[in-house]
């Protein structure tokens, strides 16, 4: 005896599309959250011009900083006179703060 389910392939395809759409929506929401946090006090180091904070951008599910010196502030850098300025890890801290929120958002979408 053989049982055939009509439309199973179509249903599977629609479920995959919905899952992908949900994943993208959650990723984009969390990128917006990271960006928004970068614009608040303490989210991004602010020097005399606030150029670093102003260079923060997000597009889709990507967040980053546009100024050339952003990695040096994030990770630290050497000085010409031989000294060292330690990194501030502002982006890492922001991502670490968002990580449990992202996980919770994904779990909620899976439950829907």
């Amino acid at each position: 005896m053989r049982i055939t389910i009509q439309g199973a392939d179509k249903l599977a395809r629609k479920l995959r599309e919905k899952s992908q759409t949900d994943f993208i929506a959650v990723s984009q929401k969390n990128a917006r959250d990271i960006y928004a946090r970068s614009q608040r006090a303490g989210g991004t180091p602010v020097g005399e011009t606030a150029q670093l904070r102003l260079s923060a951008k997000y597009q889709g599910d990507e967040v980053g900083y546009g100024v050339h010196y952003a990695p040096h502030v994030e990770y630290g850098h050497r000085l010409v006179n031989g000294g060292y300025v330690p990194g501030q890890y502002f982006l890492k801290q922001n991502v670490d703060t968002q990580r449990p929120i992202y996980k919770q958002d994904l779990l909620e979408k899976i439950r829907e």
Side-chain angles (χ1 to χ4, degrees):
M1 181 173 165
R2 182 175 181 174
I3 298 175
T4 305
I5 299 174
Q6 298 290 334
D9 292 340
K10 185 177 179 181
L11 175 61
R13 188 171 42 255
K14 290 292 185 184
L15 287 172
R16 277 193 298 276
E17 287 173 12
K18 181 186 180 330
S19 293
Q20 183 66 22
T21 302
D22 288 349
F23 175 75
I24 291 169
V26 168
S27 296
Q28 290 176 343
K29 179 258 185 202
N30 280 272
R32 284 190 306 272
D33 288 354
I34 290 171
Y35 170 78
R37 194 176 299 108
S38 77
Q39 299 303 296
R40 293 193 296 261
T44 303
V46 179
E48 295 175 15
T49 64
Q51 187 177 3
L52 182 59
R53 180 184 287 174
L54 294 172
S55 78
K57 303 279 186 260
Y58 79 93
Q59 182 176 10
D61 60 355
E62 295 181 14
V63 180
Y65 291 84
V67 294
H68 65 89
Y69 60 85
H72 304 291
V73 178
E74 176 75 13
Y75 300 111
H77 59 92
R78 293 181 183 167
L79 297 172
V80 175
N81 66 5
Y84 183 76
V85 176
Q88 296 188 34
Y89 300 101
F90 57 95
L91 182 56
K92 180 187 181 311
Q93 290 170 359
N94 198 341
V95 170
D96 288 347
T97 299
Q98 193 67 31
R99 187 171 285 123
I101 298 167
Y102 182 61
K103 181 179 177 183
Q104 188 61 40
D105 289 348
L106 284 173
L107 290 172
E108 288 174 11
K109 275 296 179 189
I110 289 169
R111 287 185 191 114
E112 284 183 3

